[in-house]
Amino acid sequence: MQTEISTSRSGTPATPAAAPARRSHDDAPDTTELFARLVHLDDGPERDAVRDELVGAWLPMAHRIASRFRDRGESVEDLRQVAALGLVKAVDRFDPSRGAFESFAVPAITGEVKRHFRDRMWALRVPRRVQELRNRVRVARRELTQNPGSPEPSVAAVAAHTGLSEDEVTAGMEALESFSILSLDAELSTGDDGYSLADTLASTDTSYDVVVDREAAKAGLRRLPEREQAILYMRFFEDMTQSRIADKLGISQMHVSRLISRSCARVRDEALAQRTGGRRAA
């Protein structure tokens, strides 16, 4: 495009006519005078009116920034509200002497929307480190698949692209699906033999039986003679052999064996009798 050059009467070429400054986007209005007024106004109705006018003028830009984050599990309307909040904060903090408002507002609004995803969109609270891994993996996968027909990048490819370890990439990939949760009652089959997610996760936990048995044996163990309590403790808690116990107590190994068998049988019989009696009482 040719630039018109004006000439003076003497025929000497003048400097090129200054082209009008272009804004980076159509939704970036010229609000220099409004910001200059806002700075010198005290709190009150006039300042609130100027502030509202500035927010309204720049609101289309905030909506444009919010649209970048669509299709991530949050409604566009909610994203626009978050971006509008970031815009209000940017208007309140902006210092006109430091440059153009757009340069200040874009990262401020973008950061507000990102914080919304970081703090509000996780169904379960995820450590900040995992959230950061998720974002780095998401960006890397998008960059590696920019060309049409590019295959889905492998864990090793994402790790090489980001400088992360493969374990960190795996954690980030798993976090990509962590914004929402699935109910344990969710049906996984539509047939007559339908089953829920909980049905596939349930398993028998034998630890509960151990707790019950320990509680049932406590009373019987306390009623044993002191020497038999000591023998059982050395055998089952200190893992001592019967020979070592016999040497320590000055008795034969056979005697130790008989005392262990008799003590265990006594505790077991009392525990079973107590359980049976409890069921009858119920």
Side-chain angles (χ1 to χ4, degrees), residues 3-4 31 41 52 54-55 60 122 137 141 143 146 154 189 198 227 243 248 255 276:
T3 303
E4 295 183 0
T31 53
L41 290 174
D52 291 344
L54 284 167
V55 172
W122 297 86
V137 168
R141 291 175 66 180
E143 293 175 348
Q146 283 182 345
S154 64
S189 175
R227 185 177 68 167
S243 298
K248 188 171 183 177
H255 193 188
T276 303

Side-chain angles (χ1 to χ4, degrees), residues 84-139:
L85 175 61
L87 171 62
V88 172
K89 293 180 179 179
V91 169
D92 290 339
R93 299 199 309 263
F94 178 60
D95 182 357
S97 65
R98 294 182 175 272
F101 176 70
E102 184 179 9
S103 301
F104 174 79
V106 169
I109 297 172
T110 303
E112 190 72 24
V113 177
K114 288 183 176 180
R115 280 191 293 273
H116 173 74
F117 277 96
R118 183 191 69 198
D119 299 333
R120 303 291 181 86
M121 288 299 295
W122 297 86
L124 297 176
R125 187 61 181 170
V126 178
R128 178 74 59 82
R129 171 62 175 162
V130 177
Q131 297 181 28
E132 293 173 350
L133 290 176
R134 173 193 176 276
N135 292 332
R136 293 181 64 179
V137 168
R138 178 178 56 81
V139 172

Side-chain angles (χ1 to χ4, degrees), residues 212-252:
V212 173
D213 291 342
R214 284 181 176 178
E215 291 299 318
K218 277 184 178 180
L221 288 170
R222 292 193 182 101
R223 284 193 288 269
L224 290 174
E226 184 176 348
R227 185 177 68 167
E228 294 184 17
Q229 290 184 27
I231 290 174
L232 292 181
Y233 183 84
M234 288 185 286
R235 179 67 185 94
F236 296 108
F237 289 88
E238 295 186 348
D239 201 25
M240 293 176 61
T241 63
Q242 293 183 12
S243 298
R244 288 185 58 195
I245 296 173
D247 293 340
K248 188 171 183 177
L249 298 180
I251 57 179
S252 67

Side-chain angles (χ1 to χ4, degrees), residues 257-279:
S257 178
R258 285 197 297 267
L259 288 175
I260 291 175
S261 298
R262 185 177 66 187
S263 300
C264 290
R266 177 179 172 181
V267 172
R268 182 173 57 251
D269 291 342
E270 290 184 5
L272 291 175
Q274 181 181 3
R275 183 178 302 180
T276 303
R279 289 177 180 175

Side-chain angles (χ1 to χ4, degrees), residues 18 23 30 43 50 58 67 70-71 90 120 124 152 160 162 164 167-168 178 211 243 246 252 261-262 264 270:
R23 294 187 293 271
D30 185 3
D43 291 339
V50 174
W58 287 94
S67 66
R70 66 177 60 199
D71 300 327
R120 303 291 181 86
L124 297 176
E152 184 68 21
T162 58
L164 300 171
D167 288 341
E168 289 174 325
S178 298
V211 172
S243 298
S252 67
S261 298
R262 185 177 66 187
C264 290
E270 290 184 5

